[in-house]
Amino acid sequence: MVEDFEPRWIEGWIAVAPGTPAVTVTLRVNRTDLVTTLVADPAKRRVPGAEVRRFRFRVKELWDYIGTHDRLAVVVDGRPLPIAAHGTVYRPRSNGPHRLQELKDKLAGDHVFSRSGALQVAKNLDTAWQRRTMTQAGRVRDFVSERFGLDAFFIYGTLLGAVRENGVIGHDSDIDLAYVSGHRNGADAARELHDIAFALIDSGFRVLAYGTHLRIANEIEGDKDAHVDLFHTYFDEHDVLGFPYGVSGVVDVRASDWTGVHEIDFAGSTGLLPNCAERVAEALYGTGWREPQPGFNWDRDRRTRAADALMPRAWTQQIYWADFYEHTGFSTPSAFFEAVSARADVPRIVVDLGCGEGRDSVAHAEAGRRVFGIDRSQRGIRRAEAKAAELGLEDRLSFHECDVADTEALASVVGRARAEAGDEPVMFYLRFFLHSLEEETQDALLSSLDALSRPGDVLAAEFRTADDKANPKVHRHHYRRYQDGPAFGAALAQQHAFEVLEEQEGIGLSPYQDEDPHLYRVVARRSGGTS
């Protein structure tokens, strides 16, 4: 049964007699077999007297080459499978910009569908990509060895390519490395990965953190995203090698199996491979690992993972913003600052919540205001302090590492601002901050501001709205929570005793490179003050 014919993938399942060898499943367009996959491992679904096996074709760019006149089918043993709500043939609803023959020519040449479904030159043939990526892999391997005494060896798709194909898998997209932590519990192993991330950033690497691994990038030979993925593993109290990213097989790698690593020639360079590489491959991918499975998908096929070694979101966000502030800076204030600063009623004392590297804090100080910048990113605060010192603005600027969810710490900083303000009002300035908070944190912050603000205080905020969610982003990996702007303004008035003085919503407010976000701006005054 084919369950889904979606733009990103085509997936379903087959039922076979228990113990049946790997079965070939083919995606056919008209009379041409375009993509095949072998399915060998049982799935969780149950059918009486049969073994269910799932398949998935990631072919998101297929639709650019087919049209309403084409017919798609998924075939097993020469017979088409039934397609939910479509019989045995699927007819595309629209025409792609290219011809099917162009796709056939590419697939007959050096192109394949990648793991994400994009058409790419097969990585086993792309020697320039191999050279760049293996250069990055070597740098990461040397760094982890020299700084932490750990061996970074091939894992996941790279290990699979090394032991099955003696090289890179054509549809792969990166080099996967892992190390075995010396720690014996998940929390300590996760903390070690966190520490490695910060050490990498300090040494000039670009780092994007997930709960399960680090993506480590640098510009090499003009490729700004030559990257490798670094995974952490550890032997638990039962001497079983734990994989936080997960495994789809049913066998374990035990301490007794592990005898270290050895160096191999790979993709024009060298790398480390576990001595028990085939055991690791079976643990990761199951008994069918020796045969290519283009439809393999971790979200669907992952059987288990060492969940206690996942890095929490707070840590991955720390790493993200440390990397961002280390490599991103602005020499001019934001458009929101210009709009707010032009008002005649801006207080002399400013509390810049989510100040980052101090971009608008500096601008407020240069405009003659006393600014207290708050951010939970130590790296951002460090950059902001350096900028203040460079510009000789230390007397007008102070920066404080503080999580706004920590009500006592927030109250302490606001108390300092209040002491300098005396009887004057304070402005709480929140540019591009609220959409970076989870809802419960925003609620806690607004409750704190309820308690800390006085009549006459001003709140100025700018954030992304729900209408911005689908728009392309320059910084794709920011955490963003899109919300209803006018509803926020109404809540300020109805729930938090702020009178809305000005509000705007739309595009054109703060264009950035190729991005023109849909934003909401509001300036409000705490009720009870002078008008």
Side-chain angles (χ1 to χ4, degrees):
M1 166 66 74
V2 183
E3 296 175 320
D4 293 311
F5 252 91
E6 298 184 2
R8 291 180 299 168
W9 57 61
I10 298 166
E11 70 173 348
W13 55 274
I14 59 173
V16 298
T20 298
V23 177
T24 300
V25 181
T26 301
L27 175 62
R28 180 175 294 171
V29 179
N30 303 331
R31 297 183 179 181
T32 301
D33 294 344
L34 285 186
V35 187
T36 63
T37 185
L38 289 172
V39 290
D41 291 326
K44 295 178 181 178
R45 181 189 288 267
R46 295 288 181 265
V47 172
E51 182 177 277
V52 173
R53 301 178 186 177
R54 297 196 63 86
F55 62 85
R56 174 181 284 180
F57 297 102
R58 286 183 174 268
V59 287
K60 68 179 181 182
E61 291 191 8
L62 166 67
W63 312 103
D64 291 340
Y65 296 86
I66 58 177
T68 56
H69 58 283
D70 292 309
R71 302 293 179 263
L72 281 71
V74 177
V75 179
V76 176
D77 293 333
R79 297 189 302 273
L81 296 177
I83 302 170
H86 290 279
T88 58
V89 174
Y90 182 87
R91 296 171 174 81
R93 299 185 182 92
S94 60
N95 295 317
H98 305 292
R99 296 182 300 110
L100 178 60
Q101 188 59 48
E102 295 177 58
L103 175 61
K104 293 179 182 179
D105 292 343
K106 287 186 175 183
L107 294 176
D110 58 2
H111 280 64
V112 295
F113 285 106
S114 72
R115 290 186 303 177
S116 66
L119 275 174
Q120 66 179 28
V121 175
K123 296 306 184 188
N124 58 319
L125 303 176
D126 191 345
T127 55
W129 175 87
Q130 292 178 25
R131 183 178 61 253
R132 295 191 301 269
T133 309
M134 286 302 296
T135 296
Q136 181 71 348
R139 292 175 179 177
V140 172
R141 172 186 164 186
D142 290 345
F143 179 87
V144 172
S145 175
E146 293 167 6
R147 291 289 299 273
F148 293 89
L150 300 167
D151 288 328
F153 52 86
F154 294 144
I155 198 68
Y156 289 110
T158 310
L159 177 144
L160 194 62
V163 297
R164 190 178 71 197
E165 303 181 19
N166 295 316
V168 178
I169 296 175
H171 63 258
D172 214 339
S173 58
D174 53 27
I175 296 294
D176 298 325
L177 301 176
Y179 62 87
V180 177
S181 172
H183 296 289
R184 301 283 287 188
N185 69 78
D188 289 341
R191 169 59 70 176
E192 181 178 49
L193 185 65
H194 169 277
D195 294 344
I196 289 173
F198 276 92
L200 285 162
I201 293 170
D202 286 338
S203 297
F205 291 90
R206 297 298 309 262
V207 179
L208 178 64
Y210 300 87
T212 54
H213 64 286
L214 307 176
R215 176 153 293 179
I216 306 164
N218 285 98
E219 182 173 349
I220 298 176
E221 298 179 8
D223 180 355
K224 294 184 178 181
D225 188 33
H227 69 264
V228 300
D229 288 348
L230 180 66
F231 299 81
H232 59 312
T233 70
Y234 71 102
F235 283 105
D236 64 18
E237 59 184 359
H238 304 294
D239 286 337
V240 173
L241 189 60
F243 295 87
Y245 187 77
V247 299
S248 67
V250 297
V251 303
D252 292 325
V253 178
R254 307 192 70 85
S256 57
D257 299 317
W258 189 265
T259 59
V261 298
H262 63 280
E263 192 154 21
I264 63 168
D265 294 328
F266 186 84
S269 185
T270 62
L272 297 177
L273 192 68
N275 294 337
C276 59
E278 292 193 0
R279 180 75 175 186
V280 175
E282 185 174 354
L284 296 178
Y285 294 103
T287 57
W289 70 268
R290 296 180 186 276
E291 298 291 342
Q293 298 182 46
F296 181 88
N297 176 261
W298 276 109
D299 290 337
R300 185 196 66 216
D301 297 319
R302 182 183 288 108
R303 183 181 61 83
T304 187
R305 69 185 345 156
D308 57 345
L310 296 174
M311 287 197 296
R313 179 194 286 273
W315 291 7
T316 61
Q317 286 293 296
Q318 285 176 5
I319 295 166
Y320 176 84
W321 288 111
D323 178 84
F324 182 83
Y325 293 130
E326 188 68 24
H327 298 284
T328 307
F330 300 91
S331 58
T332 58
S334 72
F336 184 56
F337 164 81
E338 300 288 0
V340 172
S341 191
R343 294 179 60 90
D345 57 354
V346 177
R348 180 179 63 87
I349 304 297
V350 177
V351 177
D352 187 356
L353 295 157
C355 66
E357 89 294 3
R359 177 187 186 183
D360 282 1
S361 296
V362 167
H364 280 296
E366 289 179 328
R369 303 180 187 110
R370 174 70 170 97
V371 185
F372 294 79
I374 293 174
D375 203 283
R376 69 177 180 179
S377 171
Q378 183 183 69
R379 194 64 52 102
I381 292 297
R382 195 165 73 190
R383 291 286 299 275
E385 290 174 337
K387 187 180 296 185
E390 178 185 347
L391 297 173
L393 294 172
E394 298 103 313
D395 59 331
R396 295 183 190 172
L397 284 167
S398 63
F399 293 100
H400 308 268
E401 184 183 345
C402 170
D403 189 330
V404 297
D406 185 338
T407 55
E408 290 186 8
L410 178 61
S412 175
V413 178
V414 173
R416 297 181 195 181
R418 187 71 68 192
E420 292 205 26
D423 294 331
E424 298 178 32
V426 168
M427 178 167 71
F428 299 101
Y429 183 83
L430 307 91
R431 180 197 173 265
F432 268 43
F433 183 52
L434 293 177
H435 63 237
S436 73
L437 303 178
E438 295 186 3
E439 185 173 7
E440 61 183 19
T441 303
Q442 176 174 307
D443 290 344
L445 171 60
L446 292 176
S447 294
S448 293
L449 295 184
D450 272 348
L452 297 170
S453 60
R454 296 177 181 175
D457 286 348
V458 173
L459 183 149
E462 178 183 62
F463 55 81
R464 295 177 186 266
T465 72
D467 288 333
D468 188 58
K469 186 173 184 179
N471 294 337
K473 308 294 190 294
V474 172
H475 300 294
R476 296 180 295 111
H477 299 291
H478 277 18
Y479 169 78
R480 299 179 176 96
R481 182 178 58 85
Y482 305 93
Q483 50 190 304
D484 185 322
F488 177 84
L492 283 179
Q494 297 167 11
Q495 302 173 26
H496 302 290
F498 277 89
E499 174 193 0
V500 174
L501 305 177
E502 178 184 353
E503 60 182 339
Q504 287 180 280
E505 182 176 11
I507 60 174
L509 297 175
S510 186
Y512 173 60
Q513 296 185 22
D514 295 330
E515 184 181 352
D516 189 3
H518 194 283
L519 303 175
Y520 173 78
R521 290 177 172 178
V522 62
V523 178
R525 180 186 293 119
R526 184 66 185 256
S527 299
T530 58
S531 59

